Structure formats: C-alpha cells, structure tokens
Amino acid sequence: MTPFTYSQPGDSTNAVVLGSKQEAKYLGGGTNLVDLMRETLERPAILVDVTGLSSVIEERENGSVLIGAATRNTAVAEHRSIRALYPLLSRAILAGASGQIRNMATVGGNVLQRTRCTYFYDSEGSRCNKRSPGQGCDAMDGFNRIHAILGASSSCVATHPSDMCVALAALDAVVHLRGAHGERMLPFTDLHRLPEDHPEIETRLEPGELITAIELPALPLAVRSTYRKVRDRASYSFALISVAAALELHDNGIVKDVRLALGGVAHKPWRAWKAEAALRGQPATEQNFQSAAMAELSEARPLRDNGFKIELAKRTMTAVLMELMEARA
Ligand code: SF4
C-alpha cells in the first residue's frame, strides 16, 4: 500500500476543502477503496474519512426521504420507512455483499464503488483501459461472461457492481452534492457514465465534489416494488442480471405507471426507459411484459461468453413484473 495521510473532518465544508486537494480521496466504509489501495490500483495521497458526516435518514414534508451519504447500508435496508415505502431499495441492499460488509459500507461509498472486472484487478498480467487509459482491454476477447451487453464501447465492457444503485436508478433518486463552488443536485441516472472512449471517468462528479445525501422522491407506486438478483451462488456474489421494478395498475388491469432498472448489464445502473414507455397504457399481460423487455434489449450486443444475459434479462424482467401483478390480485 502506498503511504497516505488520513484526516477526519468534522463537517462537509472542511471535507470538501481537503477532498479538493490533488490526489485526495473520500473514504466511506472502505469496503472497496481499501481493497483497491492494497492492490495499489488506487494510490491516494490524502484519505478524507467522511464516515463521521451525515448518517441521518429523514422523512421530509414534501414526502421525500433524505439519506445522509455516511449512512451504513444495513441502516438503510432496515429502516422502517425504507422498508414500507421503497421495499425494492431494502431488498436490493440486502441482496448485496454480506452482513459484515453491509454493516461497514456507506451509501456514498456504495454509489462510487468500482467495477469487479477481473482484468481491472489483474494489474500484473492484463491490459485494462480503465486502469491504464490507452492500454487496451483484455476482457474484450477474454473470458467475458460477467461483462456488459448494453451501452458498452470498444474501450471497455465492464459492468457496475452495485445492487443498491439499480434500485436508486428505478426510484428517480436525486444526488445531493457539495463542491468547491457550492451545492448542486443531480438526477441519479445521470451520475454514472457509460464508458465511451474514457472508461477511467466513471461519474459526472467534479474534482473534489462530495456526495452528501441521496434523496428519494415521494413515489407512491414504489410501495409495490421489488428487486430480484440472479447470480452464480446464493450470497456474496455479484449480479449476472438484476431487476428493480415498481408497478401500478388501473382497476381494469392497464399499466398506469411502472419503473424498471437493470443491473449486471452495463457500465452504469441501467434505467429501462424503453420498456417503461412500451408498458404504460398497455394491458398488464405476460406477453406485453416480454415485449417490453425485448424492446429494452433490442440494442444489446453480447460478447463471446455472455449472450445468455439477453434471455436471462428478458425472463427476469418478465418474472418480476408478473410477481408484482399477481401480488396485487
Ligand atoms: Fe478494463 Fe473495462 Fe476492459 Fe475490464 S472491461 S479490462 S475494466 S477496460
């Protein structure tokens, strides 16, 4: 591990002053960053520990819920309001990692965790454009079973690893930020980038900008929502495919509103805008769910080993929507 200085600012203003310095990194629970530092994939000169900042979950007058970025994943998943109003978020978090890791991991850190592409971590033996821009990508023609089918580029085919982020994408969450030039808010679906020619740039954060909170807007249909994760083993495994969904029907069985997002398919949590548009105003039937899923996946580009993800994504989206429809009956 490369030597670094450690600081623990008492408020977000001081955190941003420190975090805006060159080679500084914010530290949440450290469940990904410390691993990356051990592997010397991250070499911050200054580590700014922000775990002492806001860890409050606050229900606001406008019906939204504000989650401080330092809140531990377990606290979010177990919170009464989250479980009641946004069950897909609670389920997504509980589908991730292990109990011990969820106890340590923070919301802000979860959002900014990096891909688990094995070639990215193999700094001794593999080429990786994300780790070393311009070097090449050994996943492209390598073992790419876990890699992206949507939104990838000729530079990078990595997937985003977070479960929580898939739920936040479906919920129209808003990211609260503080930087050297003040505060701003960003739709969660705009926070992460697709790889394009610069997979090393993963978010739209400005240098030194700190995530201070995630806001969940009032979304009544989220009461009927769920998260399903398909993976190689029952726990402690990243998603091959995951689906976060909320569904609201008219009394006559027509889809009034729907939210859908996918994990395990792209460099960012993938909001299924096309599938949602295909479903609104249509009868809630298995056939329509399948058609909507295929509309979303029409631009999927499989690699050598991951063509199965297209059918798996279609089946999982359909099954999750069927589950929500039948739960209503
Ligand atoms: Fe690196 Fe992306 Fe290629 Fe993986 S897929 S080796 S992260 S460039």
Side-chain angles (χ1 to χ4, degrees):
M1 194 181 279
T2 307
F4 58 90
T5 62
Y6 171 86
S7 61
Q8 207 172 17
D11 56 50
S12 58
T13 304
N14 283 318
V16 168
V17 170
L18 291 165
S20 298
K21 293 186 177 174
Q22 218 172 5
E23 306 297 327
K25 275 266 174 196
Y26 294 117
L27 174 70
T31 56
N32 183 218
L33 179 57
V34 172
D35 286 347
L36 292 165
M37 290 170 64
R38 283 198 190 106
E39 300 288 336
T40 65
L41 296 171
E42 296 272 11
R43 300 184 193 88
I46 306 168
L47 211 49
V48 184
D49 184 344
V50 290
T51 54
L53 305 184
S54 175
S55 57
V56 173
I57 300 178
E58 176 193 339
E59 291 180 56
R60 309 175 105 193
E61 281 183 12
N62 64 3
S64 70
V65 173
L66 195 70
I67 305 171
T71 312
R72 306 286 176 176
N73 282 190
T74 299
V76 180
E78 293 182 348
H79 193 274
R80 182 176 46 82
S81 298
I82 302 296
R83 291 175 60 177
L85 301 175
Y86 309 96
L88 79 173
L89 177 57
S90 179
R91 286 175 191 162
I93 292 171
L94 293 175
S98 65
Q100 291 93 333
I101 290 173
R102 293 193 295 269
N103 289 344
M104 283 298 293
T106 64
V107 167
N110 187 317
V111 167
L112 297 180
Q113 66 180 293
R114 306 196 70 188
T115 185
R116 297 316 198 271
C117 171
T118 45
Y119 298 98
F120 171 67
Y121 285 81
D122 180 24
S123 58
E124 299 290 312
S126 300
R127 296 175 307 151
C128 172
N129 286 322
K130 187 184 284 295
R131 194 181 59 234
S132 306
Q135 187 180 50
C137 168
D138 275 346
M140 209 69 70
D141 297 315
F143 184 61
N144 45 36
R145 181 172 175 273
I146 64 170
H147 289 79
I149 55 172
L150 287 166
S153 71
S154 57
S155 295
C156 179
V157 291
T159 54
H160 195 271
S162 169
D163 293 291
M164 184 187 79
C165 289
V166 183
L168 294 177
L171 289 170
D172 295 321
V174 176
V175 189
H176 289 232
L177 301 167
R178 178 183 283 264
H181 305 295
E183 295 180 344
R184 68 176 179 129
M185 292 191 281
L186 193 63
F188 188 81
T189 48
D190 290 344
L191 175 65
H192 297 96
R193 287 182 73 257
L194 290 175
E196 299 173 353
D197 293 336
H198 288 285
E200 75 282 8
I201 306 172
E202 295 172 353
T203 71
R204 293 195 167 81
L205 295 179
E206 301 291 335
E209 213 167 22
L210 174 68
I211 297 176
T212 56
I214 301 286
E215 183 173 358
L216 307 177
L219 195 66
L221 83 153
V223 172
R224 186 170 293 111
S225 67
T226 195
Y227 183 78
R228 188 178 295 193
K229 178 177 183 177
V230 183
R231 49 188 157 175
D232 281 328
R233 49 174 195 262
S235 75
Y236 203 48
S237 182
F238 294 96
L240 292 168
I241 293 291
S242 68
V243 176
L247 181 66
E248 183 178 19
L249 303 181
H250 291 289
D251 289 341
N252 61 0
I254 300 292
V255 175
K256 185 175 179 186
D257 204 358
V258 61
R259 295 287 186 282
L260 275 168
L262 304 176
V265 297
H267 196 255
K268 60 183 285 184
W270 189 266
R271 179 71 177 266
W273 301 106
K274 287 182 191 159
E276 291 182 10
L279 282 171
R280 287 193 188 95
Q282 298 301 313
T285 63
E286 185 169 9
Q287 190 178 354
N288 284 343
F289 294 157
Q290 284 176 355
S291 299
M294 287 317 294
E296 190 63 49
L297 296 162
S298 61
E299 292 178 17
R301 298 286 177 267
L303 302 162
R304 188 192 68 192
D305 302 322
N306 69 359
F308 72 96
K309 282 191 173 189
I310 297 175
E311 182 66 18
L312 188 59
K314 183 185 91 171
R315 291 186 186 206
T316 310
M317 291 169 82
T318 304
V320 164
L321 290 166
M322 288 295 290
E323 178 188 324
L324 291 172
M325 183 182 73
E326 287 163 3
R328 169 183 175 269

